[in-house]
Amino acid sequence: MVITGTTPLYRYRTGDVVKIVRFYKQTPVFEFVSRKGQLLDVAGEKTSEACMNKVLAICSEQYWTARRLIDFTCCSSIIADLTNEKTETLLPFYIIFLELEDGGILTEKEKEKLEIVLCEESPMYVKRLRNLRNIHKMTVHVVKQGTFEKFGKRIFNSRKLVSRDRIKIPRILKNVDDFGFLMKNLANDPNPNTVN
């Protein structure tokens, strides 16, 4: 597939999963679905990036109306275990990092909505969480304003990318150092939902 834009044409693997949604004459028009290898899976439930995007969009539009979501990433509690972060449960769980406009924070009820909506959107997640009880409830962290911009620069510098246009914030963290960076940039939240 050849894609052109306002910048010069480059050939490279983007790692993006796209869906053809229609055709313009004979040219396919596609939409971004997710990135290859971006599944959150702690107990066989396999939550996709697309599902998490949808869940966050619903929460942002319906439940967090006073706060605009800037960016997010998430990981499994296994990464926290590798960094010696103290957890209160042996069961695995999701850790979500959010950046909100103007350094906003979320109430405990707003954080809980994230899990409620994920349960509505992902039958496998709700099955593992509620029915089989082999996933613990998620932890939601809000990071300081500007954290994801710094995170992007950190990725650019550490991975020796050619162009800043190529920086893609990983939606599913797999790097212990990246987890540590985000934990050091938590917002002063009066409603901490700390690592379980």
Side-chain angles (χ1 to χ4, degrees), residues 172-187:
I172 312 298
L173 288 180
K174 296 180 180 174
N175 182 302
V176 173
D177 293 334
D178 291 344
F179 175 83
F181 171 81
L182 292 168
M183 288 299 290
K184 289 177 185 168
N185 283 281
L186 297 182

Side-chain angles (χ1 to χ4, degrees), residues 38-193:
Q38 294 288 285
L39 288 175
L40 192 54
D41 183 4
V42 297
E45 75 290 352
K46 295 179 180 37
T47 301
S48 70
E49 178 184 353
C51 179
M52 194 58 75
N53 278 330
K54 183 176 181 184
V55 166
L56 285 163
I58 291 168
C59 286
S60 190
E61 291 166 11
Q62 295 179 17
Y63 304 112
W64 309 338
T65 54
R67 294 156 203 86
R68 189 173 73 82
L69 180 66
I70 301 296
D71 215 336
F72 82 96
T73 191
C74 47
C75 64
S76 78
S77 60
I78 295 163
I79 288 185
D81 295 340
L82 294 173
T83 64
N84 296 320
E85 272 298 318
K86 300 292 182 214
T87 60
E88 295 176 9
T89 179
L90 295 175
L91 292 175
F93 56 92
Y94 291 4
I95 303 171
I96 314 295
F97 293 96
L98 306 172
E99 182 178 333
L100 303 170
E101 188 173 55
D102 298 327
I105 57 166
L106 296 174
T107 65
E108 200 57 41
K109 283 190 175 191
E110 288 171 321
K111 289 178 180 182
E112 289 169 2
K113 279 291 185 188
L114 189 58
E115 186 142 58
I116 290 167
V117 175
L118 181 56
C119 286
E120 292 168 358
E121 296 298 321
S122 174
M124 285 305 291
Y125 182 80
V126 73
K127 178 180 178 183
R128 301 284 181 187
L129 177 72
R130 300 244 170 88
N131 301 351
L132 299 176
R133 294 196 174 112
N134 56 5
I135 297 178
H136 196 268
K137 69 182 185 100
M138 72 172 59
T139 293
V140 179
H141 290 301
V142 178
V143 297
K144 296 174 191 169
Q145 188 172 2
T147 295
F148 277 92
E149 184 178 332
K150 291 178 193 171
F151 188 36
K153 289 177 183 174
R154 186 175 186 278
I155 291 169
F156 178 79
N157 292 332
S158 68
R159 295 178 176 101
K160 298 180 180 29
L161 299 173
V162 177
S163 167
R164 287 189 184 225
D165 296 339
R166 301 271 324 259
I167 297 172
K168 294 182 180 180
I169 299 295
R171 295 298 168 218
I172 312 298
L173 288 180
K174 296 180 180 174
N175 182 302
V176 173
D177 293 334
D178 291 344
F179 175 83
F181 171 81
L182 292 168
M183 288 299 290
K184 289 177 185 168
N185 283 281
L186 297 182
N188 293 329
D189 189 348
N191 301 302
N193 180 343

